[in-house]
Amino acid sequence: MTRPRREVQRRRVHEDIVDYLLADIKGGVYKIGEELPSERDLMDEFQVGRPAIRESLLKLERMGVIETRPGVRARVCEPSVSPLLEEMGNVVGLDIQSREGQKTYQYARNFFENALVRIAAQNIDDNQLEKLRSLLERQKALGDRLTDLADVDVEFHEVIAAVCGNRLVIALFHNMSKWLVEQRMTTLAHPGQPDRAYEAHQLIYDALVAHDPERAEKAMTDHLEQVEEVYRSIVLQENSAKEGSP
């Protein structure tokens, strides 16, 4: 049987340049904080035009390997997964629109937060507790100012996540908070939910002050389950309204 012909794309030039520069960075040719050669020097080194060099540098920047600013040479930076997670945001934004996508990311959030609050209960220090106490005061004073409430809500949970001290976990958690921001805004807009969220945060805070992992995890679990239940009921009502509309 004769198979139909298929086209394959040749590897693009800028991908080879990225590989070479990555190898140089890994090998210590360019150390953290050091500048890469100028675009002109890189053009001469690789015998390519400026577009290929700029595309290579853009990819390295998206990978979190270098940082660029107008008018200065690209500089090697501390490795970070944050740019890659930022890039994931567009795909996640599509995935999370489905019911299954929501369940997937909510499950991941619950998994992370329950583990992180236990760690926090055992390791949180006075400065971090003071941050949480201050955030609780702000949350109580905000009333129904939705955007500000959502910001304080995110910050409260991120202070807890930061106690673990692991930059990968913290970066993942930070981006997960952004991916689920629509859920947060929707539930906080529900009547009575700001008060319930404040009360849940207070229970979590009290457990952290007591350095009680079991109590902290239960308070966090109850909080997240209540938020998920409210969100699910809102979405179901909206879907029913759409199905009933002519």
Side-chain angles (χ1 to χ4, degrees), residues 139-140 143-144 149 188 190-202 226:
Q139 184 178 2
K140 189 174 183 179
D144 58 356
L149 279 172
L188 283 171
H190 190 68
Q193 188 59 25
D195 289 338
R196 284 190 286 271
Y198 169 78
E199 291 165 2
H201 285 180
Q202 183 68 58
Q226 191 271 332

Side-chain angles (χ1 to χ4, degrees), residues 35-96:
E35 294 179 339
L36 295 184
S38 67
E39 289 186 0
R40 170 57 61 186
D41 288 341
L42 290 172
M43 288 164 60
D44 290 341
E45 179 180 348
F46 293 107
Q47 294 297 290
V48 297
R50 193 178 299 275
I53 295 301
R54 289 189 170 173
E55 196 168 358
S56 304
L57 296 178
L58 179 60
K59 183 169 183 178
L60 287 169
E61 184 175 30
R62 286 175 173 169
M63 293 168 65
V65 176
I66 66 170
E67 56 186 5
T68 62
R69 288 182 297 165
V72 297
R73 294 182 187 180
R75 185 185 300 273
V76 181
C77 60
E78 286 278 359
S80 172
V81 297
S82 293
L84 293 175
L85 292 171
E86 292 282 351
E87 288 287 305
M88 283 176 59
N90 293 326
V91 176
V92 172
L94 295 173
D95 188 21
I96 209 168

Side-chain angles (χ1 to χ4, degrees), residues 21 30 38 47 71 77 80 104-106 115 119 128 138 143 153-154 165 171 186 190 222 229 232:
L21 291 175
Y30 307 115
S38 67
Q47 294 297 290
C77 60
S80 172
T104 297
Y105 291 98
Q106 184 63 42
I119 293 171
Q128 291 160 330
R138 284 171 55 193
D153 191 301
V154 169
T186 299
H190 190 68
D222 291 346
E229 183 180 343
R232 191 185 305 115

Side-chain angles (χ1 to χ4, degrees), residues 103-128:
K103 287 172 60 178
T104 297
Y105 291 98
Q106 184 63 42
Y107 177 88
R109 180 192 176 189
N110 293 0
F111 179 84
F112 266 98
E113 293 227 46
N114 286 334
L116 289 169
V117 80
R118 290 185 67 91
I119 293 171
Q122 298 172 72
N123 298 285
I124 197 163
D125 62 32
D126 290 344
N127 288 333
Q128 291 160 330

